[in-house]
Amino acid sequence: MNYISQNTKYTLIQDKNFEASYKLYQDENGITYVRINAACTVGSAPLACTFSWVHDDIDIAATWSPVSYQNKQVRPDWGSFSESSATYGAPVLTNMSYDDRNRLTIACSDVKNRVGIRCGVHEESAELYCCVRVNVAYPIEAYQTEIRIDTRDIPFYNAVNDVVKWWEGFEGNKPAPAPKTARLPFYSTWYSFHHDLDAARLLSECRYFKAAGCDALLVDGGWYKENNIRGLGWSGDWIPAKNKFGEIKSFIDAVHSINMKVVFWFAVGFVGIHSNAYTKWKDKLLDKNTLDALPLDPRYPEVRQHLIEVWTNAVTEWGLDGFKFDFIDSIPQSVEFKAGMDTISVYDAIDRLMKDALAALRKLKPDILIEFRQNYIGPLMRTYGNMLRSTDCPNDSYSNRMNVLSLRLTSAATPVHSDMVMWNYNEPAEIAAFQLTSVLFSVPQISVLSDSLSDEHKKLLTYYLRFWREHRDTLLDGEMHYRGYAANFAYVSARSENEQIGAVYSGRIAYVEIPTDRVIIVNASKEKEILITGLCGKYMLRVTDCMGEPVQNGYIEIDSREAYTKVASPVNGYIELEMC
């Protein structure tokens, strides 16, 4: 069903220095494409253009976009835009129905420059005033982009998935391949150690968490400075602190002997005000202070070469296996062009830096690990990052769930990682388990101290990681289904050929849309009873608690004439049904 208003009028407003035009066409699925071309009439100039139209506001209950999914509001026509750029979000916005169906998904092919998308309710007519706004901050001679308008009556997440495939088809947007380790659990130092790092304690944790089910150590901030002061003031020299690690290669060799990969955190291009690099590069810094550090300007070839050398040396000299690249979204755009620069666009320079860096790193180590963090998760980020992680949300299972599920919508085959999982050591195990079951459909990163865990917590963590690894292929590669986005994803499932795994986050109902031989339902809620719909026949039934202890074993006959089948389950317990 197409709700674009009859006799729709499209409007293109361009900058006074440009002559612009657009052409409309539709594909075989009825998706509308708008191709915009603009040519500068004064040689070159920055560009601002807006394309707008009207859409009937019928059966639209909520909106989703890659960076504002926590605010599902259908905004007024004077409301805010969903913004994106090369290093922030992605240019797509979805309007969905009361039952999670697509009503209007708008996307733009420009994944580099600043793009704003808005669908605002015009209160006088109950229509959506839709517009896509593009800003190119630096002078250009010509410009082209496409806008994709999808009104198909399909699940909204399928409409978003199709946008991701569309982006991948444009030159320069091919995603980086994901190494095997990117799909395995990590142990991270951030919430467990913060900057108070110590090689001996870290090696002890590596031995414990390797046995528990983690395959990589991610050493977060603080490894490059002798003190434990928060901030970026000592970043930029990137010399491992001897008082924390001794000889860094010996430390990394020791972690490798435990059969774990090692990933270190770096702030992309930042030099702290207390570093030697700050003095050396002070004439090639962009003017944006973030936590007592400024970013190097990547438009200088020598800056890019310097950064690539820093990272490749960490691989060749230390034995590093990967990088957590942070703060790339804090590198500001600039229109000031100076002698020695080889491009005027900071976004173009970042793209070149990271693509060249990935090529150099993969030449040294083909399975190099590169992590980026929400909100720098768009199509360009996927060309050099082979892991995308939830933004920081310490001890916040709800946000971690919303973050990873939103990331799954736009990440396709790029592995999505949870924010580091932590909990209060005094919590009951079934409550701490929310931190784990909330990130079921992502690669878990763990950040707790083993010597602070109770026996129940240890049992919980070991069982969860074993369960997750056993069902990893379904959880990461299975066909995703989402129910109740407006209710914060009430039920989510992933289905492979022979099994499906679902999580009930609220509402008690597990929706089995297409039956499989094995169905596993995680009761990730405080409810004590789950209502299962969509199954029929005789099943072997197994129910466990959050630590894998059996609660019920037997058989169950499910009658298709009944709307729901009730199964009791402990909080964060697991219900397994296998066809007889």
Side-chain angles (χ1 to χ4, degrees):
M1 188 177 296
N2 192 326
Y3 290 119
I4 293 181
S5 300
Q6 292 186 354
N7 303 316
T8 294
K9 291 184 178 180
Y10 298 96
T11 302
L12 176 63
I13 302 174
Q14 74 276 3
D15 189 274
K16 63 181 181 180
N17 294 322
F18 285 81
E19 289 184 354
S21 62
Y22 69 90
K23 290 184 178 180
L24 300 173
Y25 66 95
Q26 283 192 335
D27 66 12
E28 64 276 9
N29 297 312
I31 299 169
T32 299
Y33 297 84
V34 184
R35 182 169 293 154
I36 297 174
N37 286 280
C40 187
T41 59
V42 294
S44 64
L47 169 68
C49 69
T50 301
F51 185 81
S52 59
W53 69 100
V54 175
H55 184 96
D56 282 333
D57 185 3
I58 298 174
D59 189 23
I60 293 176
T63 64
W64 174 90
S65 73
V67 295
S68 60
Y69 47 87
Q70 296 276 23
N71 179 4
K72 307 169 185 67
Q73 176 188 6
V74 184
R75 295 166 176 79
D77 58 5
W78 40 264
S80 60
F81 283 78
S82 174
E83 301 279 359
S84 68
S85 69
T87 58
Y88 182 82
V92 59
L93 174 69
T94 292
N95 298 266
M96 69 192 70
S97 67
Y98 290 86
D99 57 352
D100 301 303
R101 309 286 289 182
N102 175 55
R103 288 296 171 257
L104 173 63
T105 295
I106 303 169
C108 183
S109 66
D110 188 342
V111 298
K112 180 182 69 175
N113 295 293
R114 285 184 56 203
V115 175
I117 303 176
R118 181 175 65 192
C119 294
V121 177
H122 188 59
E123 58 193 71
E124 286 82 0
S125 62
E127 293 175 310
L128 290 179
Y129 280 22
C130 307
C131 66
V132 178
R133 181 182 66 189
V134 176
N135 288 96
V136 182
Y138 51 91
I140 56 172
E141 297 177 358
Y143 178 79
Q144 183 181 89
T145 194
E146 284 191 357
I147 297 169
R148 188 179 189 272
I149 304 171
D150 184 355
T151 59
R152 293 174 297 165
D153 183 19
I154 61 175
F156 85 92
Y157 45 89
N158 289 344
V160 175
N161 288 340
D162 287 349
V163 169
V164 174
K165 296 174 186 175
W166 178 64
W167 282 329
E168 291 179 1
F170 287 91
E171 184 179 357
N173 288 358
K174 183 179 179 180
K180 176 183 175 182
T181 307
R183 294 166 51 84
L184 293 169
F186 276 44
Y187 179 72
S188 170
T189 65
W190 185 242
Y191 295 139
S192 49
F193 286 86
H194 289 99
H195 289 187
D196 189 17
L197 299 167
D198 174 80
R201 292 185 68 204
L202 283 175
L203 289 173
S204 176
E205 294 295 68
C206 285
R207 295 184 191 99
Y208 180 87
F209 285 100
K210 174 62 181 178
C214 294
D215 280 76
L217 168 68
L218 197 162
V219 179
D220 215 296
W223 59 266
Y224 53 88
K225 57 183 179 176
E226 304 282 329
N227 61 60
N228 296 328
I229 300 172
R230 298 280 282 268
L232 302 179
W234 284 266
S235 64
D237 296 333
W238 305 119
I239 299 172
K242 283 186 176 290
N243 67 328
K244 297 179 180 181
F245 293 96
E247 293 299 325
I248 192 63
K249 188 177 188 308
S250 297
F251 169 76
I252 291 176
D253 286 346
V255 178
H256 286 162
S257 72
I258 302 170
N259 201 23
M260 293 181 80
K261 301 285 189 181
V262 185
V263 175
F264 269 35
W265 175 95
F266 282 77
V268 178
F270 272 78
V271 292
I273 60 175
H274 305 300
S275 69
N276 294 324
Y278 185 80
T279 301
K280 178 181 178 181
W281 295 99
K282 63 182 179 180
D283 295 328
K284 293 182 172 61
L285 298 174
L286 288 162
D287 188 19
K288 183 183 180 182
N289 192 309
T290 301
L291 301 174
D292 290 333
L294 282 81
L296 288 163
D297 194 328
R299 294 176 294 176
Y300 292 101
E302 58 268 37
V303 165
R304 299 195 299 271
Q305 184 60 34
H306 162 70
L307 292 173
I308 292 171
E309 287 177 359
V310 168
W311 302 332
T312 54
N313 287 343
V315 173
T316 58
E317 296 178 9
W318 311 348
L320 204 60
D321 301 299
F323 301 83
K324 172 183 175 178
F325 284 133
D326 211 349
F327 288 100
I328 196 169
D329 59 335
S330 296
I331 303 175
Q333 184 62 273
S334 172
V335 297
E336 186 180 12
F337 189 74
K338 297 180 180 179
M341 296 179 176
D342 61 359
T343 182
I344 193 170
S345 167
V346 174
Y347 292 150
D348 282 341
I350 292 173
D351 190 48
R352 182 170 176 180
L353 164 66
M354 298 312 302
K355 282 186 166 67
D356 289 349
L358 180 61
L361 291 167
R362 290 190 66 202
K363 188 175 180 180
L364 297 171
K365 191 166 287 194
D367 60 348
I368 196 77
L369 296 158
I370 306 291
E371 178 191 285
F372 287 109
R373 173 172 60 91
Q374 241 172 0
N375 287 305
Y376 26 102
I377 46 82
L380 284 184
M381 295 292 103
R382 290 183 61 216
T383 66
Y384 12 89
N386 47 41
M387 303 180 291
L388 299 175
R389 182 179 65 80
S390 160
T391 192
D392 296 3
C393 50
N395 204 26
D396 182 352
S397 61
Y398 161 77
S399 293
N400 220 353
R401 176 177 93 228
M402 295 299 291
N403 294 344
V404 300
L405 292 175
S406 184
L407 274 174
R408 285 294 303 267
L409 289 173
T410 56
S411 298
T414 304
V416 169
H417 284 228
S418 72
D419 185 36
M420 295 74 71
V421 171
M422 61 166 288
W423 56 78
N424 188 296
Y425 298 120
N426 295 317
E427 278 190 321
E430 69 173 15
I431 303 302
F434 279 113
Q435 305 297 333
L436 297 165
T437 57
S438 290
V439 299
L440 186 65
F441 301 96
S442 65
V443 180
Q445 290 195 14
I446 309 300
S447 191
V448 290
L449 292 169
S450 63
D451 58 8
S452 297
L453 296 175
S454 67
D455 289 343
E456 283 194 342
H457 286 167
K458 290 178 178 179
K459 192 173 182 179
L460 160 70
L461 183 58
T462 301
Y463 173 64
Y464 177 84
L465 291 175
R466 184 172 70 245
F467 172 89
W468 188 91
R469 291 175 71 105
E470 180 182 346
H471 300 286
R472 176 193 64 174
D473 291 346
T474 297
L475 292 168
L476 294 188
D477 304 327
E479 183 179 351
M480 296 291 291
H481 293 266
Y482 301 80
R483 283 285 190 129
Y485 162 71
N488 302 320
F489 294 120
Y491 182 73
V492 179
S493 66
R495 186 182 70 238
S496 59
E497 184 176 355
N498 296 315
E499 77 169 6
Q500 61 186 291
I501 301 173
V504 176
Y505 292 115
S506 63
R508 299 173 63 199
I509 302 175
Y511 300 90
V512 181
E513 301 196 21
I514 300 176
T516 49
D517 294 343
R518 178 189 292 171
V519 177
I520 299 174
I521 298 165
V522 179
N523 176 22
S525 75
K526 290 293 290 283
E527 301 290 345
K528 300 297 177 65
E529 189 176 61
I530 298 300
L531 310 180
I532 303 171
T533 180
L535 293 179
C536 177
K538 187 176 182 180
Y539 290 84
M540 184 171 67
L541 172 67
R542 179 172 178 262
V543 182
T544 67
D545 66 13
C546 66
M547 293 175 287
E549 289 295 321
V551 173
Q552 180 180 354
N553 285 294
Y555 294 89
I556 186 170
E557 192 82 39
I558 298 179
D559 190 339
S560 62
R561 292 171 297 181
E562 298 292 333
Y564 302 102
T565 299
K566 298 179 181 179
V567 178
S569 169
V571 173
N572 284 307
Y574 297 67
I575 300 169
E576 182 174 351
L577 298 154
E578 191 157 2
M579 177 75 76
C580 294

